[in-house]
Structure formats: structure tokens, C-alpha cells
Amino acid sequence: MSDSDPKTRHRPGPWPPAPSPDAKPMPPASWAKKTGFKPKFSGEANASDSIQISLQPKPKPKPKEPDTTLDLEAARPRPHAPANGVAHRDKVPPPPPSKDQPVKKRKDSDGIPKSSVPSTNGQAATADPPPPRRTSRHEEVVDAPPHDDDGFVSRHSHMKYELRDSPGLVPIGVYGIQHYLSILGSLILIPLVIVPAMGGSREDTSAVVSTVLFVSGVTTLLHTSFGSRLPLIQGPSFVYLAPVLAIINSPEFQGLNGNKFKHIMKQMQGAIIIGSAFQTFLGYTGLMSLLVRLINPVVVSPTIAAVGLSFYSYGFPLVGTCLEIGAVQILVVIVFSLYLRKISVLGHRIFLIYAVPLGLAITWAVAFLLTEAGVYNYKGCDVNIPASNMVSEHCRKHVSRMKHCRVDTSNALKSSPWFRFPYPLQWGTPVFHWKMALVMCVVSLISSVDSVGSYHASSLLVASRPPTPGVLSRGIGLEGLSSVLAGLWGTGTGSTTLTENVHTIAVTKMGSRRAVQLGACFLIVLSLVGKVGGFIASIPEVMVAGLLCFMWAMLAALGLSNLRYSEAGSSRNIIIIGLSLFFSLSIPAYFQQYGISPNSNLSVPSYFQPYIVASHGPFRSKYGGLNYFLNTIFSLHMVIAFLVAVILDNTVPGSKQERGVYVWSEPEVARREPAVANDYELPLRVGRIFRWVKWVGL
């Protein structure tokens, strides 16, 4: 249809009827409102109201508007990109206000006015946008967070506290503690898994839990002050869990008897320190800003999802040792987080925010009542007697239920001191082996990939713009230093940004940096109370497995949620994601099962057997250390997913919009805009001192 006057065009018959002079165009449909689509004719077809097309005569000739090119694969019109590469949601600038009508602007905590109209990247749109132009498929586009009912929406209208907001000591204190309670499972569950696997006692578990809380508080303060400065909590990531279990089950540790825990912990500390030093080098030299060009949502999604999917052999098999407790644990958390998630108490979605701690408390209370009622008491049997010393076949039959279902089998709470200060090198001097250090170097790279996605997702919620490449490199470098501290203190894993933190920000609507810092101080104080670590260490093992089933499922879903920044319906992306996830499960299964005899009598529990691959993998050259490294690396699901995704995504042709290329702020723009500088600039004039360093300043 041309843009000429419809009155001058000749049409046979009475169709379409001539519009009356008072006729008005039909209101745009919801799709046009959301996309800003403008049809070439004056009016719009509204299938829900009428099948006719309303045509309006043009009183004055107007310049021809640019066509809106449709992206058939994404099922939406391509946005017009202004000169700076930022796509605006509003295609037509609003009319200028009259003299009598003041312009309403919102001021942030630093008194800087912000536009009340957010852009699709969470950035404030300029007052006078440049004229629209047609966007080619190879031009820069900006990803937009989708709209849902859990908080993943534009930050300006849904966040209670943004990055630099400081409403007062009491509100930020309450929200800060709430923030840490909501991700309590991510902080405490990893020590509850790795310390028993090392041969440690409940007292050792209590000490490691206290150390994890202390290091997490210190590293969070460092990261929010001198790292990316986003409200991201640092802690033991699940990215480190599989390689740590593989190192724990190395063949040289299988024959150890006395003091096995400290021996393995010192080996682990040495590997973590070297791997973390490599991550620090990547960040502060600027190499991460070069590698980040290869890292897009199509790479991040399967990599993080594979972390959660890789522990299927551990989760429910351990829950089955006491099904009436473990299954109830899983069901309670599912009911709270899904069926009761919209119930608010005093304006807070308590069941959604505190699903994990509430589920743990309720299940623990039920298990305590069953234990006190004598449900798990068997005549003549004592849970403190080893199964090998039991004479009665009746007791041997029920020893597993007594061990896993009872809540009074641990003396960690009674034996823990009231005050304990975690100090560096508390387990002894670290021991360095290059084969284990190489494994940790690869894991630190995967951890950096995880952090890149977290930086971008959290900035869309709380900051004025995404961080610059320099801020990103600075954050990765400080994460490496934080992991060095974790290695010196002996937490058993490295320290990195918790992926679950981004979901917590969206749910709690709390993005204040000061609230996270105050919560970190509370965590440090809590770590000094030894009874807290003893209380957490006394959680029954079956409850830990039940919580981990939920946490790992969440981690897999959070990884796949990064696809919202790309064209998830693209056949290119579907094939890449599918291949990455399939091979991330299939190739490690080949390595883990290679050379294992069906009748072999292994000394490790069945759920740890996938992690003894270093002793029987397919690589069997004359270099034992190289065999150890290759067999271990290729048995890790996240490594395979990362390799397949990064190779395919960077070799298969695809536009930036289709790939969902992460958009980072330009340093020159960040220095000119006060809001961006205040978001990411280092405090205490440290940024001025390091302004000459490209990968430390903005």
C-alpha cells in the first residue's frame, strides 16, 4: 500500500466506505503499544473488534516514516538503534511540555535527576533522541529484561532500593539481613558436603562453616567497595563443588587414615591459591575484557545450567536413605516457592524469599518430633556403635535409618565453643601440586564466565547503566583476590559471585549497596559465634541433600534464564544450547564410567563414584600428572558445556541481536555521565589514583 492520499486512489465498488469527517483512528492493539509499531496506513486492524481497516484522509502531506523491519525469527519488529547503540522503547519522542506544565523527574540518592522513562537496557532515555533509522541485523542491539511477576522487570518502577539508595540504618539493616537469609543455602550447603567427604568430623564441619561465613562477609565488603561495586554477595560457588570432589577422591588420598581432613584441606588450599592467582591475572591485566567478547548469553546459559545438572547422582539417591524426611523437605520448599509465592505478609513475599530456611526449619522440627517420639528407636541398637561392630542382623538392617533420620546423632552443637575467631592457615601450610592447580585454573575461568552474566543481569536491575569493560575486569580481578583469601583461610572452595544473588535481588527488590555491606558486617559478627557453626553442622545429611536438590534445580534454571537476552526461538541458538547440554552430560559420563568393572569394590560411596575418574579415565599416557588433569577436566560437565558453546557460538554465523551480545558501557560515556561514575567509581578517591590504569578505573 502506498502513502498517497486514499481519496485520490480509484477503487471499484463501494468498498471501503468513505470515512466520515469525524472518524477517529482505532486505538492501537496491545502488540503495537508494546513494540511501538506504526502502520503505513492511518489506523490499525484490530482483530478483536472488527475486521475492517479504518483509513483516514491525510489533511497535510507528511514526510514518509521509516519502515519497521520485522524479525521473523524473533517474532517482533527490530528496534531502531540510535547513534550510541542503545535501543529506545519509545519510538516517537513525547511532545514538549507547555510552560504551565512542569517536567516531572525523579532524583536518585545523589540528587542527580533521572528520566522517568527507562530504556530497554535499564538506562535512562535521553530527552531528545536522534531520528530513528533502519537497523540492520549486524548492528548493536541492547537486551531487555522481560516482564514477569517475580521482579525481572524495569528497575525504575519495581525496585524498592537502588544501588546508591540509603534510606536509613534500620531499613537497610532489615533488608540486608533478609538478603543473606534468602541465600543461606548457597552459603552453608557446600561445607556440609565437602567436609564429610574429606573425612572430617562434625566439629571440623562447624569450623569450616564459621570460616565460610567470615570470608564471605569480608570478600563481599571488598567487592562492593573496590570490585564491580554492584550489590553482589561473594561466597562458595557450586562451580567449585564438582572439581573439589574430584580432587578429594584422588587415588593418592584413598589410603589415608588418620588426620585425613587436614591433609586434603592443605592440598586444596594450594590448588585454590594458584587458580585464584590466575583469575586475578586475567582481571587486572585486562585479558578478561578480551575474553568477554567470546562470552554471550548463548555461552553462559548452558555453562551455568550444566553446573546444576551435574549433581543428579548425588541429590535424590541420598534423599532416599530417609525418604519420609528428605521427600517432605523437597515438597515443603516447592510448595513455598511456587504455590505460596504470591502470598504477602507485611508487604513481603515471605514464602518465596525464605523458602529454603523456612523449609529447613519446618522439616527439622518434624524430624525432631519423630526422633523424640521414638520412631527411629530399635530395640537393642545404638546408633553410636559402628555397623561393622554390630552383632545383631536386626540392627544392621536399620543402621542406615538411624544414622540419616535421627537428629540427635551429632554432637557438633554441644562441642562447639561460644567464641571462635577464624584465622588464616588454621589447617596448616598449604601444599602445592601443579596438576591440581591446573584444574583450579580452568575452574576459575568458568567462575569468571558465571560472574560476567551476573554483572550484566544485576546492573539491569539496580544501576544506571551496565558496567564498562574496565569495571568488569576490575571485578574479576578482585574476585581472584577474594579466592586467594578463601584459600588462605581454608574454606575448601574459591570465592565468587553467587549466581542465586541476582534472583534474590529481583525477588526482594533490594539493590542497595549499603544494605549488602551492612549484611556482610552482620555475617562477620555471626561467624565469630562458634555455636552458629555447630548448629548448622548438626543439620542431618538427608536434609542437606533435599535442599541441594532444590538449589541445583534453581541453578540450572537461572543459567537458562540468561537466554532471555538473546533470541531464544532462533534455530541457531536452539541447536547450540541443545548440543552443549547433551554433550555436557554425555561426554563426562563416558569419562566417569570408563574402565570401571561392574563388580569392582570401590571404597567410596556410590554418589561419589563419578568423581574418582582421575584413577581410571581414558587418558593413560606415561605422564601421570597430565593424565590426572585431562581425565578430571573432561569429566566436569560445566567444562564440556563451555567448550562446546563457546566454539559453536563464535563460529556459526549469527547477528548480534540473535546471539544476544552483552552490551557494556563505554568508558568515555561513563566519565561524562555523573550517574554512571557514581555507580562504579572507586571510593575514597582511589579511582583518581588509579585513573591511569585502564582496567581499574572506569
Side-chain angles (χ1 to χ4, degrees):
M1 184 183 294
S2 64
D3 288 332
S4 60
D5 193 338
K7 289 184 177 181
T8 62
R9 291 198 297 269
H10 173 72
R11 289 188 176 89
W15 178 263
S20 63
D22 299 332
K24 297 181 180 180
M26 300 179 66
S30 59
W31 177 82
K33 289 180 180 179
K34 293 180 179 179
T35 59
F37 176 74
K38 297 182 70 63
K40 294 180 181 179
F41 46 82
S42 180
E44 183 183 0
N46 193 339
S48 62
D49 298 332
S50 175
I51 60 173
Q52 298 181 359
I53 300 178
S54 176
L55 298 176
Q56 288 293 326
K58 296 184 178 180
K60 296 181 181 180
K62 296 182 179 181
K64 184 177 179 180
E65 296 180 355
D67 296 341
T68 303
T69 56
L70 291 177
D71 191 337
L72 299 181
E73 210 164 18
R76 63 173 182 267
R78 270 186 222 116
H80 298 299
N84 60 354
V86 178
H88 292 275
R89 182 175 299 167
D90 298 329
K91 303 300 177 183
V92 181
S98 61
K99 296 181 179 180
D100 300 332
Q101 181 181 4
V103 180
K104 295 183 179 180
K105 291 186 178 181
R106 180 181 64 84
K107 291 187 177 182
D108 62 4
S109 59
D110 292 334
I112 301 172
K114 292 183 180 179
S115 172
S116 60
V117 181
S119 73
T120 58
N121 200 25
Q123 301 175 7
T126 56
D128 298 322
R133 60 183 177 86
R134 181 170 299 185
T135 306
S136 67
R137 288 188 64 87
H138 298 283
E139 286 183 339
E140 195 86 4
V141 294
V142 175
D143 33 25
H147 290 254
D148 64 68
D149 56 357
D150 283 340
F152 284 107
V153 288
S154 178
R155 63 180 183 87
H156 291 285
S157 59
H158 290 271
M159 294 298 294
K160 291 182 180 178
Y161 300 111
E162 297 180 16
L163 185 60
R164 286 175 280 123
D165 290 344
S166 181
L169 183 61
V170 175
I172 65 174
V174 172
Y175 277 91
I177 295 174
Q178 168 186 283
H179 201 71
Y180 281 86
L181 286 177
S182 61
I183 60 171
L184 183 64
S186 302
L187 293 172
I188 67 173
L189 291 180
I190 292 182
L192 298 180
V193 175
I194 64 174
V195 176
M198 292 181 183
S201 62
R202 294 282 187 174
E203 290 74 15
D204 295 328
T205 305
S206 173
V208 173
V209 168
S210 298
T211 304
V212 165
L213 297 179
F214 179 81
V215 173
S216 177
V218 172
T219 54
T220 300
L221 289 176
L222 291 175
H223 187 81
T224 53
S225 300
F226 304 103
S228 69
R229 307 216 69 201
L230 292 168
L232 298 174
I233 296 176
Q234 306 297 298
S237 173
F238 287 111
V239 173
Y240 284 90
L241 183 55
V244 164
L245 291 175
I247 293 177
I248 291 173
N249 292 279
S250 299
E252 57 262 39
F253 300 147
Q254 295 300 319
L256 295 178
N257 293 320
N259 217 5
K260 179 180 178 181
F261 166 72
K262 288 189 177 181
H263 182 81
I264 298 179
M265 179 61 82
K266 289 187 290 186
Q267 305 270 354
M268 199 73 63
Q269 287 180 265
I272 291 172
I273 290 174
I274 295 180
S276 304
F278 172 72
Q279 186 180 15
T280 306
F281 176 79
L282 281 180
Y284 285 125
T285 58
L287 290 177
M288 195 63 206
S289 65
L290 300 178
L291 293 176
V292 80
R293 300 177 183 177
L294 307 177
I295 300 172
N296 300 312
V298 181
V299 177
V300 174
S301 295
T303 303
I304 306 307
V307 176
L309 296 176
S310 60
F311 298 105
Y312 64 91
S313 62
Y314 180 93
F316 204 82
L318 200 57
V319 171
T321 57
C322 186
L323 197 58
E324 65 268 26
I325 300 297
V328 169
Q329 174 81 71
I330 297 175
L331 290 176
V332 168
V333 176
I334 290 176
V335 169
F336 285 171
S337 60
L338 292 178
Y339 295 98
L340 304 180
R341 63 193 177 99
K342 295 199 175 186
I343 297 179
S344 297
V345 179
L346 300 177
H348 300 281
R349 294 185 182 181
I350 291 181
F351 295 104
L352 177 61
I353 297 173
Y354 304 115
V356 171
L358 279 178
L360 177 61
I362 293 175
T363 311
W364 202 341
V366 172
F368 175 79
L369 293 177
L370 293 177
T371 302
E372 292 297 318
V375 175
Y376 305 117
N377 292 339
Y378 299 95
K379 186 177 180 180
C381 302
D382 188 358
V383 70
N384 296 319
I385 300 177
S388 58
N389 296 335
M390 289 185 179
V391 180
S392 173
E393 185 66 26
H394 170 73
C395 294
R396 291 184 181 180
K397 179 181 178 180
H398 298 289
V399 65
S400 177
R401 292 179 59 80
M402 289 190 297
K403 178 182 178 182
H404 294 97
C405 296
R406 297 182 66 92
V407 297
D408 58 353
T409 57
S410 172
N411 296 320
L413 183 59
K414 296 180 181 179
S415 59
S416 299
W418 279 102
F419 177 81
R420 183 183 183 277
F421 181 77
Y423 55 93
L425 305 180
Q426 56 188 329
W427 314 117
T429 305
V431 179
F432 301 93
H433 283 295
W434 69 270
K435 59 181 183 180
M436 299 178 184
L438 285 179
V439 173
M440 281 300 172
C441 288
V442 176
V443 174
S444 65
L445 178 60
I446 302 296
S447 171
S448 301
V449 173
D450 182 14
S451 298
V452 167
S454 298
Y455 291 173
H456 187 269
S458 61
S459 67
L460 295 182
L461 291 170
V462 300
S464 58
R465 284 179 183 246
T468 64
V471 173
L472 183 143
S473 297
R474 184 179 73 200
I476 297 299
L478 192 60
E479 282 192 18
L481 292 178
S482 300
S483 291
V484 172
L485 296 180
L488 291 174
W489 258 261
T491 61
T493 63
S495 179
T496 186
T497 298
L498 298 180
T499 307
E500 302 86 346
N501 195 182
V502 179
H503 179 262
T504 304
I505 292 175
V507 171
T508 60
K509 301 180 177 62
M510 194 286 302
S512 172
R513 181 193 299 145
R514 291 184 176 91
V516 172
Q517 291 172 340
L518 189 61
C521 296
F522 172 77
L523 205 65
I524 294 174
V525 174
L526 203 64
S527 68
L528 303 179
V529 183
K531 292 294 183 183
V532 173
F535 179 75
I536 295 173
S538 61
I539 299 176
E541 194 175 13
V542 65
M543 293 187 189
V544 175
L547 290 177
L548 284 173
C549 287
F550 178 81
M551 298 299 298
W552 288 330
M554 278 288 299
L555 188 60
L558 288 174
L560 293 176
S561 69
N562 283 275
L563 288 174
R564 69 186 185 273
Y565 302 119
S566 65
E567 293 184 1
S570 165
S571 60
R572 171 193 181 274
N573 294 347
I574 290 175
I575 295 174
I576 293 177
I577 297 297
L579 289 175
S580 302
L581 289 177
F582 178 80
F583 284 120
S584 71
L585 297 176
S586 186
I587 294 179
Y590 165 74
F591 275 78
Q592 293 165 1
Q593 299 173 8
Y594 188 90
I596 294 183
S597 174
N599 300 322
S600 60
N601 185 16
L602 298 175
S603 59
V604 297
S606 59
Y607 45 82
F608 284 146
Q609 290 181 9
Y611 307 106
I612 61 172
V613 67
S615 60
H616 62 76
F619 288 103
R620 298 180 180 177
S621 66
K622 61 180 180 179
Y623 302 103
L626 181 62
N627 297 339
Y628 179 96
F629 171 73
L630 294 177
N631 287 327
T632 302
I633 284 299
F634 286 102
S635 68
L636 301 179
H637 303 74
M638 58 185 177
V639 174
I640 301 298
F642 173 73
L643 292 177
V644 174
V646 76
I647 291 174
L648 293 180
D649 184 55
N650 289 278
T651 55
V652 178
S655 66
K656 291 184 177 181
Q657 177 179 348
E658 187 177 19
R659 298 170 62 194
V661 174
Y662 286 135
V663 178
W664 309 104
S665 300
E666 298 179 0
E668 294 78 11
V669 176
R671 294 188 186 96
R672 290 197 305 265
E673 297 188 9
V676 184
N678 290 331
D679 282 344
Y680 298 109
E681 195 171 26
L682 293 174
L684 305 175
R685 299 184 179 180
V686 177
R688 297 182 180 180
I689 300 175
F690 292 98
R691 184 174 294 177
W692 58 277
V693 183
K694 187 177 182 181
W695 310 116
V696 175
L698 292 176

